[in-house]
Amino acid sequence: MKKIIIISLSILLGACSTVGSHDRPSSYYANDSKPKGLASDSLLGENDQKINELLYYQVKLPPKNRIAILKLSQDNHWKFYSNDFTSLTTSLVDGFISELRSSNKVYDASFLPAMLVPEKRTVPTLREAAARFQADLLLAYRTSCNSYNKYRFIDPNETKAYCSVEAILLDVRSGIITKSVVSTQDFVAKKQKEDVNFSETVKKAELEAISKSLLEVAKQVNNFLSNVAVIGKIPN
């Protein structure tokens, strides 16, 4: 029995992962003759000059930054279903923002005001919206959850599922995506006495998994910020 439990736990932990893009090495910008800025945010097409500007542009940020957060997915978290769900959703958001604000490179991390979010979400329109909020960075993310149906056949009151958070960090000044992260967390949900139905059980577990994924995303972002070049600072 112990061997079975150990194997099961190994499978569960192995399915939890966070993968982020790697930072560029400083040697990439050793050639001073390369373009220093970006001319336009329009469609590039076959414009080699603009393509090269994007490829060789070195992102530099202020010593302290504001991060505007934008959630792209429209999944329903049952926020107003009960006080429990309101508390869970609030805790999820607070933990995510608190982790971002814990960086000494961040003076503020807040959701982009809804009235600024354009209907047509393109890089140029989102940059403008973030700039109006005076944000240095835009952190956009979306969530998704899926269940393994076969577990319901074993126990109708238990399910196994996973939730993923896909995120990108965009430099508002240049439009460059400086970081991408995908974090996936597994969870097992078992109906409790206080749960009205099994859907409530699953949704609570999903919120917990999303919360863990968002925290991993925030940690990856903070790690990137701790190594990024600073505007006006001469590199060693």
Side-chain angles (χ1 to χ4, degrees):
M1 178 59 75
K2 287 184 178 180
K3 290 184 178 180
I4 295 175
I5 293 173
I6 292 171
I7 292 172
S8 298
L9 285 174
S10 299
I11 294 172
L12 178 61
L13 293 173
C16 300
S17 65
T18 301
V19 180
S21 58
H22 289 253
D23 300 343
R24 271 186 168 183
S26 57
S27 59
Y28 202 97
Y29 308 103
N31 187 348
D32 292 333
S33 65
K34 291 171 182 174
K36 299 294 184 183
L38 300 179
S40 173
D41 201 21
S42 59
L43 294 176
L44 302 179
E46 297 295 323
N47 192 321
D48 290 345
Q49 179 182 349
K50 290 182 180 179
I51 292 289
N52 279 284
E53 286 177 357
L54 286 169
L55 287 174
Y56 292 120
Y57 184 83
Q58 182 178 17
V59 171
K60 292 185 177 182
L61 297 174
K64 296 286 186 178
N65 298 270
R66 166 178 277 170
I67 300 177
I69 304 167
L70 176 63
K71 182 180 177 183
L72 298 174
S73 52
Q74 299 295 323
D75 47 344
N76 179 17
H77 282 168
W78 292 22
K79 183 176 180 180
F80 301 108
Y81 177 77
S82 70
N83 183 61
D84 287 345
F85 277 94
T86 300
S87 298
L88 278 171
T89 305
T90 301
S91 176
L92 180 155
V93 171
D94 288 348
F96 178 43
I97 290 178
S98 294
E99 182 64 32
L100 290 171
R101 289 179 177 175
S102 69
S103 169
N104 59 8
K105 296 290 186 71
V106 176
Y107 73 86
D108 182 38
S110 306
F111 278 89
L112 188 65
M115 65 178 65
L116 292 178
V117 180
E119 290 187 13
K120 187 178 181 181
R121 298 177 181 181
T122 63
V123 171
T125 58
L126 290 177
R127 282 181 68 192
E128 180 179 347
R132 290 186 182 279
F133 190 49
Q134 291 196 321
D136 305 282
L137 297 158
L138 176 67
L139 179 57
Y141 74 93
R142 66 180 182 181
T143 63
S144 61
C145 294
N146 293 283
S147 297
Y148 300 106
N149 292 326
K150 114 174 179 179
Y151 285 86
R152 294 296 306 278
F153 292 105
I154 300 173
D155 185 344
N157 291 317
E158 184 173 328
T159 187
K160 185 178 180 182
Y162 68 90
C163 290
S164 294
V165 173
E166 300 175 70
I168 60 168
L169 185 68
L170 183 139
D171 172 37
V172 175
R173 288 174 176 79
S174 64
I176 297 289
I177 295 173
T178 63
K179 187 75 177 176
S180 67
V181 185
V182 177
S183 181
T184 301
Q185 298 289 331
D186 255 346
F187 66 87
V188 175
K190 191 162 186 176
K191 190 174 183 298
Q192 304 298 316
K193 291 180 180 179
E194 62 271 19
D195 295 342
V196 175
N197 52 48
F198 192 69
S199 295
E200 181 177 337
T201 304
V202 172
K203 190 55 67 174
K204 284 180 180 178
E206 286 181 357
L207 284 173
E208 294 289 346
I210 290 172
S211 179
K212 292 178 183 177
S213 291
L214 285 174
L215 284 176
E216 290 299 320
V217 167
K219 289 176 183 178
Q220 291 262 338
V221 169
N222 286 349
N223 185 60
F224 163 76
L225 293 176
S226 66
N227 298 310
V228 73
V230 177
I231 294 174
K233 184 177 180 180
I234 299 175
N236 295 328

